[in-house]
Amino acid sequence: MSKKPMFSPSLMCMDLMDIKHQMEILNSRADFYHVDIMDGHFVKNITLSPDFVKAVSSVAKLPLDCHLMVTTPDDFIEPLAKAGAGYICPHAETINSDAFRMIYKIKSLGCKVGVVLNPATPIEYIRQYIHLLDKITIMSVDPGFAGQPFIREMLGKIRQAKEWKEQNGYSYLIEVDGSCNERTFKDLDEAGAEVFILGSSGLFNLDPDLAAAWDKMKKIFHEQTGK
């Protein structure tokens, strides 16, 4: 029996002038909130921060899933944990010199741990510690900016993550970040994606009324996948 799909709206794509109201709408609909933390070095953009996580944690009724697009993730782990992060997810490319220490540190602070893979990074890169992860995020666009085209080669990486999970009894969630929308829902679902990060094309641009946009997204998803 297939799992119920899970959805994670990207707070970077919200109307930040109306974020409290929008989060109140999504609290009863979504499964996570995706929070992009960027430092201007690992990627050229700069978006949200630990202070932002602290500010929205009083409104959020869902786990705040913090995606660390930063060169030195260790600088952000404790501040994010104290701010109210539910998941802390650094990029594999930034932690492989001390991945085990970083994973255990995140867990010791009471957070769940995920790892994010850039499109050009093979899943084999995290093979030695994949069993410790609560979530794997597969980037289906190059990181740093919203609105990029879907990289279809990532479907194979999603299938590999699913195969390893099923073969070994791992419990990590398989999440996709980038261009999750009506053009990709079917292929992503069939490949094995379980958590879909929703940005402008997948949710926020569907309707000015966010509740209506959510209903449209769910209808599109059902039409594409039967779920």
Side-chain angles (χ1 to χ4, degrees):
M1 184 177 178
S2 60
K3 285 187 175 181
K4 174 182 175 290
M6 306 174 79
F7 300 100
S8 182
S10 174
L11 298 192
M12 181 176 74
C13 298
M14 282 188 173
D15 178 357
L16 296 182
M17 297 298 290
D18 192 35
I19 196 163
K20 181 175 185 291
H21 176 241
Q22 292 190 340
M23 291 180 75
E24 287 169 347
I25 292 171
L26 293 171
N27 275 336
S28 61
R29 293 170 170 83
D31 298 283
F32 304 93
Y33 287 121
H34 187 78
V35 185
D36 287 306
I37 309 290
M38 303 180 189
D39 63 357
H41 298 282
F42 184 72
V43 292
K44 291 185 178 180
N45 203 357
I46 296 175
T47 52
L48 310 178
S49 69
D51 285 339
F52 174 86
V53 172
K54 183 178 181 180
V56 300
S57 63
S58 62
V59 180
K61 305 301 181 187
L62 306 169
L64 292 164
D65 177 19
C66 297
H67 173 187
L68 303 189
M69 284 180 266
V70 301
T71 302
T72 55
D74 197 28
D75 294 342
F76 291 81
I77 289 172
E78 286 190 35
L80 284 170
K82 290 178 181 177
Y87 284 73
I88 297 178
C89 306
H91 269 255
E93 301 85 4
T94 67
I95 69 166
N96 265 26
S97 63
D98 55 0
F100 286 89
R101 184 181 68 82
M102 203 77 70
I103 289 166
Y104 290 132
K105 179 176 181 177
I106 292 169
K107 288 178 178 285
S108 74
L109 292 167
C111 297
K112 292 189 175 183
V113 61
V115 162
V116 187
L117 292 163
N118 273 344
T121 304
I123 193 169
E124 287 77 13
Y125 198 66
I126 63 172
R127 189 69 182 90
Q128 297 305 313
Y129 56 82
I130 197 170
H131 59 289
L132 298 174
L133 302 177
D134 298 298
K135 184 159 63 66
I136 296 171
T137 303
I138 295 170
M139 295 293 298
S140 55
V141 300
D142 285 325
F145 295 90
Q148 298 183 80
F150 180 70
I151 300 172
R152 293 196 61 82
E153 288 85 348
M154 296 306 99
L155 295 171
K157 192 186 293 188
I158 296 166
R159 293 187 194 102
Q160 183 67 71
K162 179 182 179 182
E163 182 180 322
W164 283 0
K165 180 176 179 176
E166 292 176 346
Q167 286 179 348
N168 297 284
Y170 296 147
S171 59
Y172 55 74
L173 293 169
I174 302 170
E175 180 178 70
V176 178
D177 186 0
S179 199
C180 293
N181 54 45
E182 65 179 327
R183 296 183 298 276
T184 61
F185 281 149
K186 185 176 188 295
D187 289 339
L188 291 171
D189 177 68
E190 289 178 349
E194 298 167 325
V195 184
F196 300 82
I197 295 174
L198 302 173
S200 299
S201 65
L203 176 62
F204 295 99
N205 286 351
L206 297 181
D207 196 283
D209 180 332
L210 186 53
W214 185 270
D215 291 342
K216 289 180 180 180
M217 181 277 296
K218 292 297 295 287
K219 183 175 184 290
I220 291 167
F221 191 91
H222 177 72
E223 288 171 348
Q224 294 290 321
T225 68
K227 295 181 180 178

